[in-house]
Amino acid sequence: MLIGLIRHGLTDWNAVGKIQGHSDIPLNEEGRRQARLLAERLKEEPYQWDGLITSSLSRAKETGEIIASALQLPLLESDDRLRERAYGQVEGMTQAEREKKWGIDWHLLDLGQESDEALQQRGLAFMEAIWSENREKNLLVVSHGGFLANLYKALYQDKYTERIGNLSLSILQREDADWTPLLYNCTKHLQEKCDCNSKR
C-alpha cells in the first residue's frame, strides 16, 4: 500500500504567518493554483492512486477536491483525525503578536493547544486504520503542516525535521509493520529545482 501525504494549499493566514489550527480558513487563489500544479504532476507520474481522503477543514477539503477532480479519483469521506493541531488562544495570531503577548516561549505555556503526544497518537491511529481498511489500495491524503510534521516525528523520530511546505508531497509505502518513505516533503511541482529526498 502507498499513501501520498499532501499539505493543503496556501491560505491568506499562511501568507501573513497567522496560526490557523482548527480555524476554518479557506484556500486563496495561490493555494488553488498550487493544487492544480500538483494534480498535473500526479498525472505524469507512474504511481496509480485509487482514492483521496482529506481533513474536514475546508482548506484541505478544497485542495483534495481540486486534485481528485483532475485525476478523476473518488473523494472519500473526510476524517477529523487529519485536522490540524488545535491551538486554542493562539489561533489567528502572528509570531510577533504571540511573542508580544506571551513571550518567545509561548509554545511552552498552556494556552489550550493540543499536545505533541495527542497529535501524534491520532496521526498514528489514522495510519493504522487506513492500513487495516484499505490494504489493496493506494490513497492520497490531504492534511496540514503541523499534523504532518508530528506524524513524521512519530514514525521516524527526528530523521525528518524540515518545515512541511504548502502542497508538498510525501509518499510512504507499507512494508510489514513499517511505513517506508519513498519521497519526503517534495514541492518540485511548485518550483524548477527541488531536492525532494527521494529514495527512487
Side-chain angles (χ1 to χ4, degrees), residues 116-165:
D116 286 356
E117 293 77 13
L119 190 56
Q120 290 172 23
Q121 284 175 8
R122 68 176 164 94
L124 291 174
F126 169 80
M127 295 294 280
E128 282 306 304
I130 210 72
W131 162 245
S132 65
E133 297 164 9
N134 301 274
R135 294 188 184 205
E136 303 303 317
K137 295 181 179 179
N138 295 334
L139 297 177
L140 294 169
V141 174
V142 182
S143 186
H144 305 265
F147 173 89
L148 291 171
N150 273 276
L151 175 60
Y152 301 140
K153 185 174 183 180
L155 291 171
Y156 309 117
Q157 287 72 53
D158 293 322
K159 184 176 181 181
Y160 299 110
T161 58
E162 67 186 60
R163 180 183 174 277
I164 306 301

Side-chain angles (χ1 to χ4, degrees), residues 20-146:
Q20 294 177 118
H22 283 189
S23 298
D24 202 9
I25 309 304
L27 292 183
N28 60 22
E29 283 306 312
E30 174 61 15
R32 295 181 184 101
R33 185 186 76 87
Q34 291 173 337
R36 291 191 292 269
L37 288 172
L38 177 55
E40 288 304 310
R41 170 186 174 176
L42 291 170
K43 285 181 184 179
E44 297 172 1
E45 294 194 339
Y47 301 107
Q48 297 298 312
W49 302 104
D50 300 303
L52 189 148
I53 186 170
T54 76
S55 154
S56 53
L57 294 170
S58 63
R59 57 190 182 272
K61 289 180 74 173
E62 186 177 2
T63 301
E65 288 165 358
I66 291 168
I67 295 169
S69 176
L71 299 180
Q72 298 183 326
L73 293 177
L75 192 60
L76 307 179
E77 184 176 356
S78 60
D79 194 316
D80 285 343
R81 290 174 295 188
L82 294 169
R83 289 164 72 96
E84 181 59 288
R85 181 203 303 267
Y87 272 99
Q89 299 176 54
V90 182
E91 293 187 15
M93 302 181 77
T94 65
Q95 181 174 341
E97 291 168 339
R98 300 190 298 269
E99 293 182 0
K100 181 178 180 181
K101 187 165 185 176
W102 294 297
I104 194 169
D105 292 324
W106 63 269
H107 58 285
L108 301 178
L109 304 175
D110 182 3
L111 301 171
Q113 67 270 43
E114 188 176 7
S115 69
D116 286 356
E117 293 77 13
L119 190 56
Q120 290 172 23
Q121 284 175 8
R122 68 176 164 94
L124 291 174
F126 169 80
M127 295 294 280
E128 282 306 304
I130 210 72
W131 162 245
S132 65
E133 297 164 9
N134 301 274
R135 294 188 184 205
E136 303 303 317
K137 295 181 179 179
N138 295 334
L139 297 177
L140 294 169
V141 174
V142 182
S143 186
H144 305 265

